[in-house]
């Protein structure tokens, strides 16, 4: 317990969600241009998972649990990106022929 108290507090989940939504946006919007991007993102997510696990286990205080019904405004952003990705990918494929 003393070791936990001496660690810096957890910064919150904003930066965690932000990186994931930006990554999702790049993959969804431009997957027609670079199909290998999803594989690269999978590798990057695996590495980030390990880094975040180490950070939460050894570098920051254990965060308090705050329950949530859903992802909040991030969910709306991902839905918008999904619909926008359909249009962008169709236009990219149509203009490349």
């Amino acid at each position: 317990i003393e070791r936990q108290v001496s660690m810096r507090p957890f910064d919150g989940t904003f930066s965690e969600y932000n990186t994931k939504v930006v990554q999702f946006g790049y993959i969804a919007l431009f997957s027609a241009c670079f199909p290998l991007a999803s594989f690269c993102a999978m590798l990057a997510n695996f590495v980030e998972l390990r880094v975040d696990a180490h950070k939460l286990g050894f570098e920051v205080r254990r965060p308090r649990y705050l329950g949530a019904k859903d992802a909040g405004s991030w969910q709306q952003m991902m839905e918008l990106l999904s619909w926008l990705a359909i249009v962008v990918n169709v236009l990219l494929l149509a203009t490349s022929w």
Side-chain angles (χ1 to χ4, degrees):
I1 293 177
E2 291 176 10
R3 193 178 85 199
Q4 283 282 319
V5 171
S6 67
M7 294 178 180
R8 67 180 171 90
F10 181 62
D11 295 330
T13 58
F14 179 81
S15 64
E16 305 293 331
Y17 273 112
N18 190 31
T19 57
K20 296 299 175 203
V21 170
V22 168
Q23 184 183 60
F24 173 75
Y26 280 129
I27 291 171
L29 291 171
F30 304 113
S31 61
C33 295
F34 184 53
L36 204 58
S38 58
F39 180 71
C40 294
M42 182 188 68
L43 291 176
N45 285 337
F46 180 74
V47 170
E48 187 175 356
L49 179 70
R50 296 287 121 209
V51 170
D52 286 347
H54 184 270
K55 178 179 73 174
L56 287 171
F58 300 104
E59 295 178 13
V60 297
R61 275 188 233 150
R62 186 179 305 159
R64 286 190 173 268
Y65 173 73
L66 301 172
K69 189 170 105 178
D70 57 11
S73 58
W74 293 109
Q75 180 69 29
Q76 295 169 351
M77 180 56 86
M78 290 182 72
E79 289 174 6
L80 175 68
L81 282 170
S82 298
W83 285 105
L84 190 61
I86 294 170
V87 175
V88 169
N89 281 309
V90 166
L91 289 174
L92 282 172
L93 290 173
T95 58
S96 67
W97 286 21

